[in-house]
Amino acid sequence: MADSPIRKALPGHRWERVETMRYKDEGSAPFRDITRQVLFREDGLRCEWRYFEIAPGGYSSLERHEHAHAVMILRGRGRCLVGDRVHAVAERDLVSVPPLAWHQFRADADAPLGFLCLVDKERDRPQLPDAAQLAELRRSPEVAAFVRVGDDRDA
């Protein structure tokens, strides 16, 4: 029934009547092996709730925004950059991404990383780091080893 308020869970972290989409358009920002599902984006809500799934070894783009993110790791494990620190994450961990904090999520090489992400429905576009901002981030050896931006430093 299309107008049911319930969308049942399906195998593989999917839901009825929820499209699995590309994370972003190819070439818009460096990323690898990630999908996006918009779970809730309704007129009565001022937020959007999404599910992202990163395949083993994949990563999201390195970016920041003027809006905050509230993230819950739903499956798997990996690491994330928030600001200037890299953190290990696993199922049921909560991650707060403050406004204008650089952030990136990476799945471990042997496990996917699936997470729910709550953001404002009306929000600004992602900001990618310029060369100077990337150089500043890479001053930290831990961050330099972690970030993936599609250049020759990516492992």
Side-chain angles (χ1 to χ4, degrees), residues 25-79:
D25 290 334
E26 290 295 328
S28 63
F31 63 90
R32 190 173 86 200
D33 298 333
I34 180 170
T35 60
R36 172 175 57 101
Q37 297 175 69
V38 178
L39 306 178
F40 291 96
R41 181 179 173 80
E42 300 173 8
D43 290 337
L45 296 174
R46 293 184 179 153
C47 60
E48 185 174 285
W49 200 16
R50 304 156 319 160
Y51 176 76
F52 295 92
E53 178 129 336
I54 306 174
Y59 54 89
S60 66
S61 55
L62 173 62
E63 60 190 38
R64 67 181 182 181
H65 319 264
E66 292 180 11
H67 61 275
H69 296 257
V71 172
M72 179 182 187
I73 308 301
L74 199 57
R75 104 182 258 231
R77 62 184 185 281
R79 293 182 294 153

